[in-house]
Amino acid sequence: MHFEQTVTLPKEAFTPAASVACPPGLTNVLKPPRPFIGRDREVALLDHAVLNPGAAAVQAVHGLGGIGKSSLAAHWAVTRAAEYSPAWWVTADSPASIDAGLALLATALQPALAQVLSQEALRERALQWLAAHDGWLLVLDNVADPSDIEPLLARVATGRILITSRRATGWHGVAAPVALDVLSHAEAVELFTEILTHGPPHDADGTDEVCAALGYLPLAVEQAAAFCAETGTSPHAYLDLLARYPADLYASAAEGGDSSRTMARIWHLSLDRMADEPITGQILRTLAWYAPDAIPRSLLASLASAPTLLRALGRLAAHSMLTLHSETNDLTVHRLVQAVARTPDPSDPHRQPADIADACIRATAALAQALPAGHAEDPVSWPIWRALLPHADSLAGCLPHDSETADTARLLNRMGQFLLREGSITRSLTYIQRSLASLERTVGAEHHDTLAARNNLAQAYLLAGDPKRAAPLFEQLLADSVRLLGEDHPDTLTARNNLAQAYQSVGNPKRAIPMLERTLTDSVRVSGKDHPSTLTAQSSLAGAHMLAGSLRQAIQMFEQALTDSLRILGEDHLGTFSIRNNLAATFHAAGDVKRATQLYEESLSIGIRVLGENHPGTLTSRNNLAYAYVSAGEIKRAFPLYERTLADSIRVHGEEHPSTLTTRNNIATAYRLAGDLERAIRMYEQTLAVYARISDEDHPDALTVRSNLATTYRQAGYSGRAISLCERTLADGIRVQGEEHPHTLIKRNNLATAYRQAGNLERAIPLYEKGVTDCLRILGEEHHETLTAQDNLASAYASAGNPEQAIPLHKKVVTGWVRILGEDHLSTLTAHNNLAYAYRLEGDLGQAILIYKRTLTNCLRILGKSHPITQTVQGNLDSARRQRIRNRVTRAKRTARRKKG
């Protein structure tokens, strides 16, 4: 027997949808469980939706998973619910979910239909009702594909629809997109603090750091704050846990929270939707090792063919996993997506440990391939280096030291070399130290790459002003090179040359000279007289003689090196350019400012033509030329050059580069010599503030600036400030450079001069005497610092009323300057002036005036009338003449009184 089941429909089923009234206050939108922070701009965009007649107002809030799309939609719907009837929330992650949500709306509108109509019929009933009414709000949460809601949108012509989706594309002609980004720093901190302090008091120190580490992603911030609140973990302790157990924390949800709403789960679900293209996962795992912003697309070129790569990137962008920037051809990935992508999880097919390790290798290889060829000396390549530097920083920061490969170490070494050229010495040291340790572990201490890294580290120590740490590395490198490569290998010769440079930097050029002489001899024998390496050795030896005070010998060697370099390499070669600058500097030190200026002008012209306006060599040449103008007393010609050099150096290198700081020091010195002492003081102090900011107050250059500032304090009459600064600078110089470094000797001389000017000759003279003794022992009798120390001691004797001690010493100094530098050197002219002053103090005005007159004649001939030294000598001569006249008048009056008596 067959029985038919009949269904009796209630009368509500026959009521036209247009006649069904919405129950007052009907809504299923729940207030978000967490506090709602910020989003003022997005809320305003939702409030001002464009309403077009005959169409529903549709907006799509899109963004990365965990960005807060649903929270924004819920907050806006709850706070605007009174304006709509009904306000209905539909989970819309699939067509089936949309149908179920619409069926629930129909049931809420007419509860009697719940048990008698199928879900399909209820869905249809809801669509009919929406099409026939206005003033309603429908929230479609987590739409996976715009096509899923097209049937619904096609049926409604009124009302308001708010969509949330990870899809960033596909909304044209469908909805007005509202892009949602991460919270601001302040908003993220406020959200974290609100959750953390909701219950008992908690330690909130470190909240800023946690929010920054989580990239200000609302879901991550919420979960971290809830974890800290529930477990009593401080923000600082949470950061430590995140570093040690990232997989656990990314997968954890708060007690009672939705376990499907964790960062790991959201990332997993997003990639599940693109599982048909495994390349999408490979891309994210590779990008995970770079900085989150401005990642060049070219770094992904090796992963797939161009069409495949473009399609995969498009899909990832469409699902808000990354953002493409067509105008700059780069992309952005949220830092937390990266963090999850590089955190292994054997239970997640998208984060298998082997796949993540492979992605790291690919990321390293792509970055190494993208670096410019050769060394980082050419500023033309610097924009590329700088663009890739953040990604190298990120790779180095993400990768544990013990898991670095040889390729990673080589990459770090090359980036360290660039940072050296750029002047970022501290960062460079970090890179190269790490590279050297990794190379020693992976390829061995005797591998060529390891030796190169050790050389680079030693060079970095030299540039950092720490030759004491550089010298042992160079010594080890030389020993290794001799043993592994042989005495005559070019790398061995280079190692010996570099070690000699280190000895010079610690103030021991006499130890360097024999090494450089041997290097030059070996280079001639091995490579030939005309080989570039021989020219380098020749120039290095000349530089050592210059530092040792043998200026005439240095000039002869530099002139020969320049002649050879012009013949072998040509005028435009960088090596020739460098030798010309060094020769100019030696002429400058020897007092031949005219010849130095001529060479500096030639170098600047060649630098602009060959290297370009922005090359470091060009900037150095302009700086040197300005210094030569200052020495010649032409300070007005120097200032425009200095100012341009400073502006260019800031633009090319940055405010904190050593070259920029050197130029600032030089400009301050020019102001000091021009008599503008207060302006000089301000500039010296500003320069020292930069050294303090970059934690480089002990750098030799910083100590030099400090000495210059103390000198300016002294000249401005601030004796107490000058003495205090000189004392501190001397103590720091002894600690950093040692008792016997030439710079330490200069600092002791400066302190003595400060005491002398303050009238404290009892403290000044012993310091001067120690300085002379040390200079004679360390530098030798004919070194310019020795003669300067003797001249200062003689002047102190004269000031103390002991001209009988002063005059013989002054005469000895004059003889020394004439023998070493000639009659026309500035130091010789100054020594003559000081000798004349000693005779004047002794009362021998006739001899003093005679020497003053002869010195003034030479000053006028060599320096000109306006030079400061010329004006000083002129003033001293005039004063001596007036004193002689006064003495004659006094004697005449005495004679007259005696006759009357």
Side-chain angles (χ1 to χ4, degrees), residues 17 65 141-142 145 151 158 335 351 518 761 767-768 799 813 845:
D141 184 44
N142 199 23
D145 194 314
T158 56
R335 67 177 64 251
R351 294 191 288 144
R518 178 179 175 182
L761 292 172
L767 283 173
Y768 279 136
S799 298
V813 170
L845 286 173

Side-chain angles (χ1 to χ4, degrees), residues 483-498:
R483 178 170 50 83
L484 298 172
L485 305 175
E487 288 279 2
D488 292 343
H489 193 279
D491 289 352
T492 303
L493 301 182
T494 299
R496 183 175 289 111
N497 183 81
N498 291 342

Side-chain angles (χ1 to χ4, degrees), residues 24-287:
L26 178 61
T27 183
N28 71 338
V29 181
L30 299 178
K31 182 180 179 180
R34 298 297 184 195
F36 185 81
I37 305 294
R39 305 303 196 192
D40 293 341
R41 184 189 72 86
E42 291 80 4
V43 168
L45 288 173
L46 298 182
D47 283 338
H48 297 89
V50 177
L51 303 178
N52 295 317
V58 186
Q59 290 176 292
V61 178
H62 63 85
L64 177 67
I67 203 78
K69 303 179 294 295
S70 299
S71 295
L72 171 63
H75 168 79
W76 189 84
V78 166
T79 55
R80 298 341 186 240
E83 303 173 20
Y84 298 98
S85 183
W88 200 254
W89 188 280
V90 174
T91 299
D93 55 0
S94 68
S97 297
I98 297 171
D99 290 349
L102 291 172
L104 288 174
L105 172 59
T107 300
L109 290 167
Q110 293 180 285
L113 303 182
Q115 305 301 320
V116 296
L117 295 184
S118 66
Q119 178 173 293
E120 185 178 353
L122 288 169
R123 166 189 171 278
E124 177 60 27
R125 187 73 172 171
L127 287 173
Q128 291 175 2
W129 190 93
L130 293 171
H133 291 78
D134 200 356
W136 49 263
L137 168 65
L138 194 63
V139 179
L140 303 177
D141 184 44
N142 199 23
V143 173
D145 194 314
S147 63
D148 292 345
I149 60 172
E150 287 179 357
L152 185 157
L153 298 179
R155 296 283 296 276
V156 297
T158 56
R160 183 73 184 272
I161 297 176
L162 179 57
I163 299 164
T164 71
S165 177
R166 294 177 199 172
R167 288 294 298 262
T169 59
W171 302 113
H172 180 69
V174 176
V178 178
L180 197 60
D181 204 348
V182 296
L183 296 171
S184 69
H185 174 82
E187 291 168 347
V189 169
E190 183 182 354
L191 175 61
F192 190 101
T193 305
E194 183 83 13
I195 297 170
L196 180 66
T197 59
H198 183 69
H202 284 82
D203 177 13
D205 187 37
T207 296
D208 288 29
E209 292 92 328
V210 171
C211 292
L214 299 174
Y216 311 113
L217 191 72
L219 175 62
V221 172
E222 289 176 8
Q223 291 178 347
F227 180 93
C228 291
E230 290 171 3
T231 62
T233 303
S234 71
H236 281 306
Y238 182 88
L239 280 175
D240 182 60
L241 289 172
L242 187 62
R244 291 190 291 150
Y245 308 106
D248 293 336
L249 266 64
Y250 293 142
S252 67
E255 184 68 28
D258 186 352
S259 61
S260 67
R261 297 288 297 165
T262 66
M263 286 311 305
R265 185 63 181 160
I266 286 173
W267 191 88
H268 177 93
L269 292 174
S270 296
L271 280 183
D272 272 352
R273 291 173 179 168
M274 295 175 279
D276 57 318
E277 283 193 275
I279 184 64
T280 54
Q282 294 177 29
I283 289 173
L284 283 183
R285 288 189 293 271
T286 301
L287 294 175

